[in-house]
Amino acid sequence: MEGKEEDVKLGANKYSERQPLGTSAQTREKDYTEPGPAPLFEPGEFKSWSFWRAGIAEFMATFLFLYITILTVMGVKRSNDTCSTVGIQGIAWAFGGMIFALVYCTAGISGGHINPAVTFGLFLARKLSLPRAVFYMICQCLGAICGAGVVKGFEGHHNYEMLGGGANSVAHGYTKGDGLGAEIVGTFVLVYTVFSATDAKRSARDSHVPLLAPLPIGFAVFLVHLATIPITGTGINPARSLGAAIIFNKDHAWDDQWVFWVGPFIGAGLAAIYHQMIIRAIPFKRS
């Protein structure tokens, strides 16, 4: 008996054998306070090293994201036989896998947005201030341009242009409206997953479930790419589309560029509204 009591003191039986599942898990009392909205403008941020460090993290993450993913796309296009390459599934895994890895690496520094649409959605939900949101978007776009530029340097001017530079455009057989719709829905899936995976209340309620937030986010990116690569090449990330378009710099990439900004921003906005107003009903809660 003494040994057993000692085990209890040491925490050997800290967790019960049965964990509540389903709706019963939702009834568990948790110490939880709804986080307040971020200030719209906070001048003190500019004096904080964490502000600038977060922007640098977003720059580097988007740089690495473009570097790996565009090289993967061009590797598939280089081969005449897609069976000898990773194919569309491999491209989708490259995008989803890089998001998983980079969100995991940068979430604790900047939140791991790596996408102006994600930043826009979180800003609408008052998860970050306006200066920080704008700063993130600028850093993301600059990182994307540099990432695509390095790929062009490796491939050479001729090969880079011949292989399309990884630039997004609406595929033949689809209208710009089709492309816009695909970008809206695809970004909605991504940003809604971001909100759900990082929801503080969910983390408190389901603390017994060992869920790594970057995993569902990366998996959402993978699935969206599988669905929409044949339509638009899959943007759902304005920085990714802009970086490739600037370095490739051909008319057909610029003709459709608006689709890859308007679509993701609409999709992100709808996801923010849906999660905050419908799923969480935050505006309707009494203070």
Side-chain angles (χ1 to χ4, degrees):
M1 289 298 293
E2 291 181 0
K4 186 174 182 179
E5 289 177 359
E6 186 65 23
D7 286 343
V8 172
K9 292 178 182 178
L10 293 175
N13 297 315
K14 180 179 179 180
Y15 301 102
S16 59
E17 293 182 2
R18 297 184 61 188
Q19 295 285 3
L21 301 174
T23 55
S24 62
Q26 300 177 19
T27 61
R28 294 182 67 184
E29 293 294 329
K30 292 288 182 181
D31 294 331
Y32 171 76
T33 302
E34 187 71 46
L40 184 62
F41 184 79
E42 188 175 3
E45 281 189 315
F46 299 108
K47 301 178 182 179
S48 171
W49 167 239
S50 64
F51 176 84
W52 303 104
R53 181 185 64 176
I56 295 170
E58 287 293 309
F59 171 89
M60 283 301 302
T62 316
F63 167 82
L64 295 172
F65 177 63
L66 265 289
Y67 170 73
I68 294 295
T69 54
I70 291 184
L71 272 180
T72 304
V73 170
M74 298 183 77
V76 171
K77 288 190 174 183
R78 181 187 294 275
S79 176
N80 294 324
D81 181 12
T82 56
C83 293
S84 64
T85 68
V86 294
I88 288 179
Q89 294 86 352
I91 293 173
W93 275 121
F95 279 88
M98 280 303 290
I99 287 296
F100 168 72
L102 294 170
V103 171
Y104 179 83
C105 292
T106 61
I109 302 171
S110 65
H113 298 187
I114 322 171
N115 185 336
V118 172
T119 300
F120 178 68
L122 293 173
F123 167 70
L124 290 182
R126 301 292 302 277
K127 302 294 185 182
L128 70 165
S129 67
L130 178 59
R132 185 176 287 264
V134 173
F135 183 48
Y136 278 16
M137 291 182 190
I138 293 172
C139 291
Q140 290 156 1
C141 290
L142 291 176
I145 294 168
C146 292
V150 170
V151 172
K152 183 176 181 178
F154 283 170
E155 293 287 341
H157 181 77
H158 176 71
N159 285 339
Y160 187 81
E161 291 198 353
M162 182 180 67
L163 298 173
N168 289 121
S169 61
V170 179
H172 294 293
Y174 294 95
T175 66
K176 286 182 171 53
D178 296 332
L180 181 64
E183 290 296 304
I184 290 173
V185 176
T187 312
F188 180 93
V189 172
L190 168 60
V191 178
Y192 177 44
T193 303
V194 170
F195 273 105
S196 298
T198 59
D199 191 332
K201 183 176 182 180
R202 178 174 185 154
S203 298
R205 184 191 69 199
D206 299 337
S207 59
H208 61 283
V209 180
L211 179 65
L212 191 64
L215 181 59
I217 297 171
F219 201 63
V221 172
F222 165 70
L223 293 174
V224 171
H225 275 75
L226 283 183
T228 58
I229 282 176
I231 304 173
T232 62
T234 309
I236 67 172
N237 184 335
R240 174 261 186 271
S241 301
L242 178 67
I246 287 177
I247 300 301
F248 185 54
N249 197 27
K250 296 296 180 183
D251 288 343
H252 74 272
W254 288 116
D255 289 343
D256 298 337
Q257 185 65 200
W258 68 271
V259 171
F260 302 102
W261 282 84
V262 176
F265 273 75
I266 292 176
L270 292 174
I273 293 170
Y274 177 69
H275 185 269
Q276 296 295 96
M277 297 187 67
I278 306 300
I279 300 301
R280 293 296 312 281
I282 289 176
F284 308 109
K285 292 181 178 179
R286 296 178 180 178
S287 57

